[in-house]
Amino acid sequence: MGVLNLILITVDQANLWESVKTFLPATFVLVHIFCTLVGQPKCLRTRLRYLSAPFRSFLTLEDLLDPVDDQPHPTALQSRVLTALATVSAAGWLARLVFTIWIGETQYAMRCLVCTISWACVTIAIAIRPPRTPPYLLMAFASSLLIASLVDIVYSILMHKQAAVDFIAMIFPTTFVWVAGTLPLKTYRPTLNVAQPKDMPSSDLSCPEDDVNLWSWSGFTFLNPILLLASQRTLNETDVWTLSPFFRHKNLFTKCLHYRALNPTHSLLRFLVASNSLDLILDISLEMWSAVVGFVPPYALKEILSALAADTPEGKRVAFYWTLLTFIVDLSFAQVDLFQGWHARRCYERTRGQLFCTLHYKALKRQEISGRIDHEKGKESNADLGKIVNLMQGDSYMVAQRFWDFSAIATSPVRIIIALVFLYQILGWSALSGVIVVVIAYVLNYPLAKYNIFITRSAWKAKDTRMSLVNELLQNIRFLKFYGWEYQWARNVQDARETELRWRIKENVVDTLISFIWIWMPSATALTSFLCYTLIAREKLTVSKAFTSIALFSQLQEPMVALPGQIFAILNAYVSMQRIEEFLGEDEVPKWASTLTATPTEQGFKEVKFCDATFEWQKRKHPSATPSRFQLGPLNLTFPQGSLSLVIGATGSGKSALLAALLGEMHCKSGQVSLDKTLHQVAFCAQVPWLEHATIRDNIIFGSPFVLDRYDAVLDACALRPDLAVFDAGDLTEIGEKGITLSGGQRARIALARAMYSQAKCVLLDDPLASVDMHTAQHLVEHCLNGNLVRGRTIILVTHHIALCLPTASYLVEIEQGRVIRQGSIQELKDQGIFSAVAQIQENSPSLEHSDPRPKQNEADVLGMDDKSKLCRQPTDGKLIEAEARAEGRVSAHTYMTYIRAAGLLPWLITISLLLLIRFINIGNQFFLAKWGEAYQNGLPALTVTAFSGYPWTGLPSPDVDVKPWLRIYLYISTAGAFSVFFYIAVGYYASLQASRSLFVSLLRRLTRAPSRFFDVTPIGRILNRFTTDINCIDGALQNSARNCLSGILNFVASFLVILYVVPSFAPFALFIGWLYVRLAPPYINASRDLRRLESISLSPAFAGFDELLRGITHIRAFGMEDRYQNRFYLRVDKFQCYDHIYWLVNGWLRWRYDCLGSVVVFAATMFALWRGVSNGSAAIVIVQAGIFAEASRQLVRVAAQLELDFNSVERVTEYLNIPQEAPAIIEKCRPPAYWPSSNGQLVVEDLVVKYAPHLPPVLRNLTFTVEAREKIGVVGRTGSGKSTLAMSLLRMVEPTAGTISIDGIDISTLGLEDLRTRVTILSQDVSLFSGTIQSNLDPLGHCTPEECMVVLERCHLTNILNHTPTADEPTILDMRVNHGSLSAGEKQLLAVARATLRRTNIIILDEATSQVDSLLDDQIQKTIREELSDAIVITIAHRLKTVMDYDRILVLDDGNIVEFGDPRSLLRVPSGAFREMCRKSADWLMFEKLIEP
């Protein structure tokens, strides 16, 4: 009866298989015909459109901003071939139908009939409507026939039957599928320049992924051209395809803005989910395939081992079946992983790009916060550059990464449930005992998870603080070097880094504990389950059950270990999203103040006015907040159109604030402002000029069309011709960051030229005359503020040069303490009789009516103009910033050793030892389980590889008799493995921490001691990139890559040796497979390495641009250039992401091939084991080790390449460890006495020669002069004559090429730089303030008492000007909090004077130190300087000859040579003397003539 039932079941299964083979393929054809010829009903179409919304692509063709190539590919040939194949197939099945009827095999007639009709329908469908893209339903039809034939062939071979007919039947469906797959996937190309297969890779072409067929897409063969090129030479920027339009950030963010406009209440997170819904759904669906079908290999392992235990021919046949099925499933994983990886990566890239663009877009609209001081306790400060860089390079990546990993999170519960059910089927209720262990693990995890969130928040805050300090150090490095304070600031950064690392240590401890819990979890669950199964249930733990259970526990381990980490990562991403949302929620300028939100008015340019307007710098969040130190208004002003208006007032009165309020940069408490900034109708020139890192011409044009006549007129009006003649490349000379290579006057005039060149109808000028000498100021007023350039334009000029500008002005506004005390036209003020009151506050400068009518030139630039030969210079390209270095070829051994030495040799030796121990324990564990399982099989020989004594299980009783010793040994092995991993992780974290600390400190110290020239030619953004991306990589990813690489090598070697030990005959095949692995590796390694390096250097411009953006945001908004900067950001991020995108495509190319080869390895190793007839225990070891070998082989090249890529960060840091260094800060053997330099010491310069670089000509040529004690020296000379270089030489900012400088009898070249620079003080136009208090800015090192600081503040008149109101947080003016932008330019200069006075050094260098203060206050400050510095040597670099006329002597420089040196009277009496000629052409010549009268 049992035999009969078995036969009936077999017959039923056979009939079912025949039915499936017959009707399933036909179903695809029917669906295709219905969809193609009938279409969707209208009522259904609407519903489907609604339901399919999440399945539609975020970007469509209509969303692309560039032209689209919508011409379809020619597909006539493929259509004809497909029609012919379908016709032949239909004829073949018809012939087979006739033949089966003729021979009487009617059971096959139905299948032949259905296939005949189906192929005929396919023929008709293709003939009527030839496909332009792959007909997927028809391909599914042909594929189902192909699979059915393949199964029949295998069955016939195993049953020793003929398979010729099935083989022939397989040829035509195969060909049909292949031809159909050659059709293009899209009927269009999203851009006109998509790369074709035969095109050489070029940045002029778009990525070829937009023009592929099914086969090139399924294997990523479209990447072959770039891989071939990478094998031949190093990839350069011009060799990499640009991004597809569907990835370009302008297209993405434009759609983002459209979505946010339609759905203003939706959160950013909701938008990110909605915009990536298709990718997320596909990602989860494909991952679900791997999650569900991924349990086929463990089930197959169980069936194979069970069949081998039976040791029958039928059992071996079953084993072969399951081996083949596992092979097919593994191949499907390779294909699914490829597609899933692409969609997950697209989701990641789009999310990251949208966050980048959102942050940048917000920065363009956000209120300028450089001068904002947050007084509210507990409130997060507004984001500065350091925090924004962290938001971009940390938080954005964190959030985007969760989208990449989302599918794993979604499918982890599914994997756990299936594994537990499967385990229950094998081990029964014993498997459920492991659930208790899991619950205990989660209970232990909960407090650790909560603490981990707290640590993460604190760590990000610490990182923000550290980055802010790094940014402050780098932005002000030149000033800090002037004062010898850079080492103190570096120590502050180092302290902040240590605080950050302390949080990281806590994070590492928590991670180690969590990792230990979850890594031991599979062993603990297996041990618990085996104990219950053998000891309590008294069942036999056979080889098939043991290894299948271990495989399932391994399957269970991945989601169980990953799930807590994924949850923590989501929580961390939640913290990051909160930080991003917090930044996006910061105050913005009014809508009218930004062209991104303003709308042009139809009436044209409106009048410029205030209506009952009151302003504060910062909006108070609640009434109890600390009131603002300064309030502007109420204002009722209307500036006359088409004329010049003057805004005057004392230093700190609110003149600059009025312009800021007019531009919308101050918070308007009440009233209204009228100014139309749309259509580039406003231009602005600030008191502190802001220039781009670009050429002089680009700075002047500033995005406007280049018109030569207008450009020439602006150069002449702004007196820039002589300056351009000095530069080798003229107006194509590149300006360094912040215009550091230009003088203050040059920067001011270039900024003025930018405003004048623009077509703006309203021009706002904030004291551009302050930074130039009087003669140049007269030239600017006469030619720039008069004439054609300003005709019809409304000019609002803030100035202290009142008398100079009054004849040109039409309107005047006077401000005092934020209030308008006088306003009106010049004529009205005269008529009202109050003009004399205004005139009383003006400076003593000549007006235009009484100025010298001769042609005007800069006073200091007169010398040498007649000698044209001196200006003839070798033309250059004008480049200042050097291109960022990019290493080529493999990472050097020196780089690896740098990291190893930084981490310490001992931790690495311990790590390798622990890795070897872990591998040994894992392999021993598998052999022990094999021995344990085989010990149950009575009458079978022992496991061949364990047949000798010396193993722990030698002499153990049979597990049938006493299983406890076996369980005890398994416990020992599991515990040893768990603790080995625990120590391995802990040592790894320790090594990583040591390396991070060491490399960061080394990088910081080397940069701190770098010469100032290095910062002139290296953008700050490039340096910041080292402190963010590269240090972050060293902090985290690098250690993991190193450990993974070592682990992969050991896995590869160990598994290979184990397989060869059990199945020696597998060696030739394993070597061949290994050769294939190695053969595929070089193109990938070369391409990925070059792409990663290109990506690294392309990051710097994006963040350097962000620094520039934040510093100049007021100017950018004033000129209405937000769109220009946003578009430039799009291009920079596109460039960075194209390298990243191509890298991951190349990564997918290798992964697919290695996955396929790995499937072959497992299949071949299993077949060899079955062919050699090993025992089921040995077969289990071979199968498991083959899987490890395949995984290790697949991972090894990729992990090794990733390690090399991560070491690129070490390489980039190491590059900066080799930059030139200044002299030591302190030389113990040559420390000067405490009194040095004394008030009686001389300054002696002998044969001084200075070059900025060895290949450049000398800037100073054999200078020799002596300055006596207490002497006041004025240094004059034209631009480029060497005045600033001489001052820099006194501080050794530039080291002399030859000659000596001695101060008070000591050669300064023998001193440490800190000893020198703390004893010499320089006061320049550019003043740096740091975040802190007035006292911390006056005395950063804490050398002076508060009383001394207060005295200096009073002497410099700051107590009255700052108008401080005591509060609980700021009881005195010394406690008043400030930062770089919180004081006006004049207030900052006064604070700098106070700082210099407090230092009490006996050598002072002045460089227009009071150019931004009013005349009256300037006189008071000059008096203070004369009184306080009476015992000091004072060297003044003079731009105004009048300021040095009462000095003891004048040093005249020209082209690096001393032309004259003597007292002013003597030099004025020299006929045709250089100094006399300067003075004769000065506006103050009449006053100078009186000095030489007898």
Side-chain angles (χ1 to χ4, degrees):
M1 192 68 181
V3 176
L4 180 60
N5 287 335
L6 181 61
I7 293 172
L8 289 175
I9 291 172
T10 305
V11 171
D12 288 341
Q13 290 177 342
N15 291 335
L16 177 62
W17 173 238
E18 280 299 322
S19 299
V20 170
K21 289 194 300 181
T22 300
F23 296 106
L24 179 62
T27 305
F28 293 116
V29 177
L30 289 175
V31 174
H32 174 81
I33 292 173
F34 178 81
C35 294
T36 304
L37 303 181
V38 178
Q40 300 171 353
K42 188 174 182 180
C43 60
L44 184 61
R45 193 178 308 144
T46 305
R47 294 183 180 181
L48 285 176
R49 181 170 181 79
Y50 175 77
L51 294 174
S52 65
F55 298 90
R56 290 198 294 271
S57 180
F58 175 64
L59 276 185
T60 63
L61 277 181
E62 291 74 19
D63 299 318
L64 303 184
L65 303 177
D66 296 323
V68 175
D69 183 2
D70 55 3
Q71 292 297 320
H73 284 280
T75 58
L77 177 62
Q78 287 99 321
S79 298
R80 285 195 291 268
V81 173
L82 291 175
T83 304
L85 287 171
T87 303
V88 172
S89 297
W93 281 102
L94 179 61
R96 189 173 180 183
L97 172 63
V98 173
F99 180 74
T100 54
I101 294 174
W102 181 57
I103 64 174
E105 294 184 358
T106 54
Q107 67 269 27
Y108 300 115
M110 179 58 71
R111 184 188 178 202
C112 295
L113 177 62
V114 171
C115 289
T116 301
I117 297 173
S118 298
W119 277 115
C121 292
V122 170
T123 303
I124 296 170
I126 294 176
I128 294 175
R129 184 171 293 180
R132 291 183 177 180
T133 58
Y136 295 107
L137 288 172
L138 298 184
M139 293 176 69
F141 159 70
S143 298
S144 62
L145 293 178
L146 170 63
I147 293 171
S149 298
L150 182 62
V151 172
D152 288 340
I153 290 171
V154 174
Y155 177 78
S156 298
I157 292 173
L158 293 175
M159 300 303 293
H160 306 290
K161 294 182 179 180
Q162 290 291 332
V165 175
D166 290 316
F167 182 77
I168 295 172
M170 190 177 68
I171 294 176
F172 289 100
T174 303
T175 309
F176 183 91
V177 171
W178 181 81
V179 174
T182 62
L183 291 168
L185 291 182
K186 299 176 183 176
T187 59
Y188 62 87
R189 288 167 291 280
T191 184
L192 302 178
N193 61 337
V194 178
Q196 298 301 308
K198 295 183 180 179
D199 291 336
M200 180 70 73
S202 169
S203 57
D204 296 328
L205 302 174
S206 177
C207 184
E209 65 185 332
D210 284 324
D211 191 17
V212 293
N213 59 44
L214 184 61
W215 307 130
S216 60
W217 180 243
S218 298
F220 278 16
T221 55
F222 60 87
L223 294 169
N224 288 343
I226 201 167
L227 290 166
L228 178 62
L229 185 62
S231 301
Q232 297 170 351
R233 62 174 173 81
T234 300
L235 294 178
N236 298 311
E237 291 183 5
T238 55
D239 299 324
V240 183
W241 301 301
T242 58
L243 282 175
S244 160
F246 290 111
F247 283 87
R248 290 178 193 166
H249 291 83
K250 187 171 185 177
N251 296 331
L252 286 170
F253 194 64
T254 302
K255 185 67 178 286
C256 170
L257 292 176
H258 178 69
Y259 176 94
R260 301 298 293 271
L262 294 177
N263 305 280
T265 59
H266 289 190
S267 66
L268 176 61
L269 180 61
R270 182 171 177 178
F271 160 72
L272 293 175
V273 173
S275 62
N276 293 289
S277 59
L278 175 63
D279 289 322
L280 289 173
I281 291 170
L282 290 173
D283 187 19
I284 293 172
S285 301
L286 294 171
E287 181 68 21
M288 198 63 74
W289 169 270
S290 300
V292 177
V293 183
F295 286 92
V296 170
Y299 186 79
L301 175 64
K302 172 180 172 293
E303 293 298 321
I304 292 170
L305 296 179
S306 298
L308 289 179
D311 197 18
T312 62
E314 182 63 28
K316 285 203 171 184
R317 190 177 297 120
V318 170
F320 280 120
Y321 263 120
W322 284 107
T323 302
L324 177 61
L325 179 61
T326 302
F327 177 58
I328 295 172
V329 168
D330 286 342
L331 288 177
S332 75
F333 292 156
Q335 199 62 63
V336 166
D337 287 349
L338 182 69
F339 292 149
Q340 181 195 356
W342 188 86
H343 284 285
R345 186 68 197 175
R346 183 170 73 168
C347 182
Y348 170 85
E349 289 180 11
R350 284 182 170 181
T351 301
R352 183 181 63 182
Q354 286 163 345
L355 289 174
F356 278 1
C357 295
T358 300
L359 292 170
H360 190 273
Y361 191 75
K362 172 66 181 183
L364 289 169
K365 299 189 299 175
R366 188 180 66 144
Q367 279 191 355
E368 210 279 324
I369 56 98
S370 63
R372 178 171 296 186
I373 301 295
D374 288 313
H375 297 276
E376 299 176 47
K377 290 185 178 180
K379 179 184 179 296
E380 286 289 323
S381 60
N382 294 96
D384 56 8
L385 174 64
K387 184 172 182 179
I388 293 175
V389 170
N390 273 341
L391 288 175
M392 279 201 162
Q393 293 203 300
D395 298 276
S396 296
Y397 280 78
M398 182 71 73
V399 174
Q401 187 69 37
R402 302 293 70 79
F403 280 83
W404 194 357
D405 299 337
F406 185 74
S407 60
I409 301 170
T411 57
S412 287
V414 176
R415 292 177 186 269
I416 292 173
I417 292 171
I418 295 176
L420 290 174
V421 171
F422 200 172
L423 280 168
Y424 180 79
Q425 294 294 326
I426 295 173
L427 299 178
W429 65 266
S430 301
L432 301 181
S433 62
V435 176
I436 299 175
V437 181
V438 175
V439 172
I440 294 173
Y442 277 104
V443 169
L444 292 174
N445 240 20
Y446 179 72
L448 293 174
K450 288 186 64 176
Y451 188 51
N452 193 50
I453 297 172
F454 168 73
I455 290 173
T456 301
R457 292 179 187 273
S458 303
W460 274 113
K461 290 178 183 178
K463 186 175 289 188
D464 290 341
T465 303
R466 185 255 297 174
M467 276 305 301
S468 298
L469 287 173
V470 169
N471 179 52
E472 194 170 57
L473 169 67
L474 295 175
Q475 296 288 355
N476 301 286
I477 188 68
R478 180 180 289 269
F479 170 80
L480 291 171
K481 286 181 177 293
F482 284 163
Y483 279 67
W485 290 344
E486 70 270 30
Y487 303 101
Q488 176 61 38
W489 250 257
R491 284 190 284 271
N492 294 341
V493 172
Q494 197 169 334
D495 291 341
R497 172 65 171 173
E498 285 301 315
T499 302
E500 178 191 353
L501 290 181
R502 280 194 290 272
W503 285 109
R504 189 177 157 209
I505 291 170
K506 296 178 182 179
E507 188 176 9
N508 290 347
V509 171
V510 174
D511 286 345
T512 302
L513 292 174
I514 293 172
S515 299
F516 175 71
I517 291 171
W518 291 105
I519 287 174
W520 197 19
M521 186 56 49
S523 298
T525 52
L527 178 63
T528 306
S529 299
F530 290 169
L531 185 147
C532 293
Y533 189 70
T534 57
L535 198 61
I536 300 176
R538 298 197 177 277
E539 296 286 345
K540 294 182 178 181
L541 188 65
T542 61
V543 172
S544 63
K545 290 183 178 181
F547 276 88
T548 304
S549 298
I550 292 297
L552 289 171
F553 282 127
S554 297
Q555 292 268 43
L556 190 62
Q557 177 184 13
E558 182 180 348
M560 285 175 63
V561 171
L563 192 57
Q566 290 162 351
I567 293 173
F568 293 150
I570 288 178
L571 295 174
N572 292 339
Y574 172 70
V575 174
S576 294
M577 182 58 78
Q578 282 185 319
R579 285 161 50 83
I580 292 172
E581 292 280 13
E582 181 186 351
F583 172 71
L584 297 180
E586 290 186 11
D587 295 335
E588 297 181 356
V589 295
K591 288 188 176 181
W592 63 267
S594 172
T595 54
L596 295 174
T597 50
T599 53
T601 59
E602 296 180 359
Q603 296 84 4
F605 185 74
K606 299 185 294 185
E607 58 185 0
V608 182
K609 64 180 181 180
F610 295 99
C611 297
D612 296 321
T614 305
F615 301 90
E616 287 183 348
W617 282 115
Q618 185 174 349
K619 181 179 179 181
R620 280 187 275 179
K621 301 299 181 183
H622 49 80
S624 63
T626 304
S628 176
R629 180 175 69 88
F630 176 82
Q631 179 174 294
L632 180 67
L635 300 178
N636 278 291
L637 279 175
T638 301
F639 293 98
Q641 295 190 31
S643 58
L644 173 65
S645 300
L646 299 183
V647 179
I648 65 173
T651 300
S653 60
K655 304 183 297 299
S656 298
L658 184 140
L659 296 188
L662 197 57
L663 291 170
E665 300 295 337
M666 287 186 76
H667 169 61
C668 184
K669 291 179 60 180
S670 61
Q672 293 181 340
V673 186
S674 176
L675 180 69
D676 188 0
K677 297 171 73 173
T678 60
L679 304 177
H680 310 295
Q681 297 186 89
V682 176
F684 176 55
C685 177
Q687 195 173 23
V688 179
W690 171 80
L691 299 177
E692 289 186 295
H693 163 45
T695 64
I696 294 175
R697 178 184 293 182
D698 289 339
N699 270 280
I700 295 174
I701 295 171
F702 201 49
S704 300
F706 180 70
V707 180
L708 182 59
D709 292 342
R710 183 177 183 83
Y711 181 73
D712 288 339
V714 168
L715 292 182
D716 292 332
C718 296
L720 284 170
R721 292 283 186 189
D723 300 279
L724 297 182
V726 172
F727 298 125
D728 297 343
D731 64 348
L732 297 181
T733 300
E734 196 174 72
I735 297 174
E737 287 194 313
K738 306 183 200 175
I740 197 68
T741 53
L742 303 176
S743 69
Q746 289 169 334
R747 291 200 296 271
R749 282 179 284 129
I750 291 173
L752 178 63
R754 176 174 59 203
M756 291 295 105
Y757 183 83
S758 72
Q759 298 291 340
K761 296 180 181 179
C762 177
V763 182
L764 309 181
L765 306 176
D766 193 353
D767 209 2
L769 307 179
S771 300
V772 299
D773 56 76
M774 183 53 63
H775 198 90
T776 304
Q778 291 176 350
H779 177 93
L780 293 177
V781 171
E782 182 177 2
H783 295 89
C784 192
L785 301 180
N786 278 291
N788 293 331
L789 285 176
V790 296
R791 184 170 291 118
R793 304 170 85 173
T794 301
I795 311 292
I796 302 174
L797 173 66
V798 170
T799 186
H800 293 297
H801 295 65
I802 303 166
L804 183 64
C805 300
L806 272 176
T808 309
S810 301
Y811 199 79
L812 185 141
V813 177
E814 184 179 358
I815 296 181
E816 184 177 282
Q817 295 184 356
R819 297 177 180 271
V820 175
I821 58 173
R822 296 183 184 88
Q823 63 169 308
S825 68
I826 304 299
Q827 189 60 46
E828 287 175 353
L829 294 177
K830 289 180 179 179
D831 294 342
Q832 294 173 10
I834 59 175
F835 187 76
S836 58
V838 175
Q840 288 177 4
I841 67 170
Q842 64 184 326
E843 63 180 350
N844 296 321
S845 60
S847 64
L848 284 175
E849 289 92 335
H850 304 92
S851 61
D852 192 337
R854 290 175 293 178
K856 307 198 172 41
Q857 297 172 342
N858 296 349
E859 291 181 357
D861 283 352
V862 174
L863 184 63
M865 284 294 109
D866 295 332
D867 188 359
K868 301 297 183 184
S869 63
K870 290 185 179 180
L871 297 176
C872 293
R873 297 177 180 269
Q874 189 69 25
T876 66
D877 61 1
K879 291 291 182 183
L880 172 70
I881 303 299
E882 300 171 352
E884 186 166 7
R886 175 168 73 98
E888 296 186 3
R890 302 187 65 85
V891 174
S892 65
H894 172 71
T895 302
Y896 289 107
M897 288 307 301
T898 299
Y899 181 79
I900 292 173
R901 282 194 296 266
L905 288 174
L906 183 60
W908 276 103
L909 293 175
I910 296 174
T911 298
I912 294 172
S913 302
L914 287 171
L915 268 177
L916 290 171
L917 178 61
I918 291 168
R919 290 299 153 266
F920 177 77
I921 290 173
N922 288 342
I923 294 171
N925 191 30
Q926 291 172 15
F927 277 101
F928 176 74
L929 282 174
K931 175 63 178 175
W932 188 357
E934 289 190 343
Y936 283 104
Q937 300 174 19
N938 295 327
L940 291 179
L943 187 65
T944 54
V945 296
T946 63
F948 52 88
S949 61
Y951 289 99
W953 51 82
T954 303
L956 290 180
S958 170
D960 281 325
V961 177
D962 184 8
V963 77
K964 292 180 182 178
W966 299 86
L967 285 169
R968 194 178 300 117
I969 292 176
Y970 186 72
L971 171 63
Y972 296 156
I973 294 174
S974 301
T975 305
F979 279 97
S980 298
V981 172
F982 174 81
F983 288 117
Y984 168 67
I985 294 172
V987 171
Y989 277 137
Y990 173 78
S992 175
L993 186 73
Q994 291 298 100
S996 298
R997 175 182 284 116
S998 175
L999 289 174
F1000 182 91
V1001 170
S1002 298
L1003 176 65
L1004 179 65
R1005 288 177 177 171
R1006 297 293 293 188
L1007 286 170
T1008 303
R1009 293 187 54 206
S1012 59
R1013 178 67 179 175
F1014 171 79
F1015 298 97
D1016 293 343
V1017 301
T1018 308
I1020 298 299
R1022 189 181 296 176
I1023 303 174
L1024 283 177
N1025 201 12
R1026 264 62 172 187
F1027 282 103
T1028 51
T1029 303
D1030 295 319
I1031 289 295
N1032 288 346
C1033 179
I1034 294 169
D1035 281 352
L1038 184 57
Q1039 180 68 17
N1040 290 331
S1041 296
R1043 291 191 301 188
N1044 290 339
C1045 186
L1046 286 174
S1047 179
I1049 292 172
L1050 291 176
N1051 279 339
F1052 180 86
V1053 174
S1055 58
F1056 183 72
L1057 294 176
V1058 170
I1059 292 173
L1060 294 187
Y1061 191 64
V1062 179
V1063 189
S1065 57
F1066 182 69
F1069 187 82
L1071 291 174
F1072 174 71
I1073 291 293
W1075 177 82
L1076 289 178
Y1077 275 112
V1078 174
R1079 180 72 178 81
L1080 290 170
Y1084 165 76
I1085 291 177
N1086 294 335
S1088 61
R1089 180 174 57 219
D1090 293 342
L1091 289 166
R1092 272 302 197 221
R1093 283 172 172 163
L1094 287 170
E1095 178 191 344
S1096 296
I1097 64 172
S1098 66
L1099 267 176
S1100 300
F1103 296 110
F1106 218 101
D1107 176 23
E1108 200 170 66
L1109 167 75
L1110 294 180
R1111 283 189 285 104
I1113 187 61
T1114 302
H1115 301 76
I1116 293 167
R1117 281 199 287 255
F1119 280 87
M1121 289 294 179
E1122 294 99 319
D1123 275 330
R1124 176 176 180 245
Y1125 273 78
Q1126 186 73 6
N1127 289 332
R1128 189 166 73 177
F1129 183 74
Y1130 292 145
L1131 295 177
R1132 287 176 172 175
V1133 180
D1134 280 349
K1135 185 176 182 180
F1136 143 71
Q1137 190 143 302
C1138 80
Y1139 305 129
D1140 186 47
H1141 182 70
I1142 302 298
Y1143 164 77
W1144 283 103
L1145 289 179
V1146 171
N1147 190 282
W1149 177 90
L1150 182 76
R1151 184 175 66 249
W1152 181 79
R1153 283 154 179 77
Y1154 273 22
D1155 284 347
C1156 292
L1157 278 177
S1159 302
V1160 172
V1161 168
V1162 176
F1163 176 69
T1166 307
M1167 294 294 285
F1168 268 89
L1170 297 177
W1171 172 56
R1172 296 296 297 172
V1174 299
S1175 66
N1176 59 344
S1178 299
I1181 293 174
V1182 169
I1183 294 171
V1184 171
Q1185 290 298 323
I1188 295 174
F1189 176 81
E1191 181 67 20
S1193 302
R1194 179 180 62 185
Q1195 295 287 349
L1196 188 54
V1197 174
R1198 192 166 65 208
V1199 170
Q1202 184 63 45
L1203 177 67
E1204 191 170 27
L1205 298 176
D1206 289 341
F1207 260 95
N1208 186 31
S1209 293
V1210 181
E1211 187 177 53
R1212 286 158 53 80
V1213 169
T1214 304
E1215 174 195 348
Y1216 278 14
L1217 299 183
N1218 298 320
I1219 57 177
Q1221 297 287 279
E1222 291 184 317
I1226 294 174
I1227 301 175
E1228 292 295 340
K1229 296 180 180 179
C1230 300
R1231 299 210 66 177
Y1235 61 82
W1236 183 89
S1238 67
S1239 57
N1240 298 317
Q1242 292 180 322
L1243 169 64
V1244 180
V1245 178
E1246 295 183 356
D1247 298 323
L1248 182 66
V1249 178
V1250 174
K1251 294 181 178 181
Y1252 278 109
H1255 62 281
L1256 296 178
V1259 183
L1260 297 179
R1261 307 168 190 267
N1262 300 102
L1263 298 191
T1264 299
F1265 63 92
T1266 300
V1267 179
E1268 301 297 333
R1270 301 184 182 86
E1271 201 171 14
K1272 307 296 183 283
I1273 302 295
V1275 181
V1276 299
R1278 65 179 178 83
T1279 303
S1281 61
K1283 304 186 298 297
S1284 296
T1285 304
L1286 176 60
M1288 295 300 100
S1289 299
L1290 297 177
L1291 292 166
R1292 289 178 64 191
M1293 299 294 290
V1294 182
E1295 294 287 357
T1297 306
T1300 60
I1301 301 175
S1302 297
I1303 297 177
D1304 197 8
I1306 297 179
D1307 183 353
I1308 65 172
S1309 65
T1310 64
L1311 298 176
L1313 293 183
E1314 189 170 350
D1315 282 335
L1316 170 65
R1317 292 170 183 171
T1318 53
R1319 313 291 181 94
V1320 177
T1321 298
I1322 184 170
L1323 270 174
S1324 63
Q1325 276 185 316
D1326 300 322
V1327 180
S1328 292
L1329 288 189
F1330 305 97
S1331 299
T1333 64
I1334 294 288
Q1335 184 170 358
S1336 68
N1337 273 276
L1338 279 176
D1339 183 28
L1341 305 186
H1343 291 165
C1344 300
T1345 64
E1347 291 75 17
E1348 291 174 320
C1349 294
M1350 281 298 299
V1351 170
V1352 168
L1353 286 180
E1354 291 170 358
R1355 293 285 291 156
C1356 294
H1357 309 279
L1358 269 168
T1359 51
N1360 296 328
I1361 291 174
L1362 291 179
N1363 191 27
H1364 174 67
T1365 302
T1367 64
D1369 294 332
E1370 300 175 356
T1372 70
I1373 192 173
L1374 293 176
D1375 301 305
M1376 178 178 160
R1377 294 170 60 195
V1378 294
N1379 61 27
H1380 181 70
S1382 61
L1383 300 181
S1384 69
E1387 290 169 338
K1388 285 193 285 189
Q1389 285 194 335
L1390 292 178
L1391 191 62
V1393 172
R1395 183 191 283 152
T1397 305
L1398 191 64
R1399 280 165 64 95
R1400 297 187 181 90
T1401 59
N1402 284 318
I1403 295 183
I1404 306 290
I1405 304 168
L1406 302 177
D1407 183 4
E1408 286 296 299
T1410 57
S1411 61
Q1412 304 289 352
V1413 300
D1414 60 80
S1415 179
L1416 179 61
L1417 188 57
D1418 188 18
D1419 292 341
Q1420 294 173 339
I1421 293 300
Q1422 293 297 338
K1423 179 182 178 182
T1424 299
I1425 291 176
R1426 284 192 293 270
E1427 292 174 355
E1428 294 291 333
L1429 308 178
S1430 59
D1431 291 336
I1433 293 175
V1434 178
I1435 299 175
T1436 299
I1437 298 174
H1439 298 280
R1440 307 177 191 179
L1441 298 176
K1442 183 180 68 173
T1443 61
V1444 295
M1445 274 302 170
D1446 61 343
Y1447 275 36
D1448 298 317
R1449 285 191 290 173
I1450 304 295
L1451 178 69
V1452 184
L1453 291 177
D1454 181 44
D1455 201 25
N1457 296 303
I1458 297 177
V1459 179
E1460 294 177 339
F1461 189 33
D1463 67 271
R1465 293 175 183 272
S1466 300
L1467 294 181
L1468 284 171
R1469 291 191 179 99
V1470 177
S1472 301
F1475 184 69
R1476 177 184 173 87
E1477 289 301 310
M1478 280 187 193
C1479 294
R1480 286 187 66 251
K1481 295 184 179 182
S1482 167
D1484 300 309
W1485 171 245
L1486 296 177
M1487 181 179 67
F1488 298 157
E1489 272 188 317
K1490 296 178 182 179
L1491 297 176
I1492 57 177
E1493 292 177 358

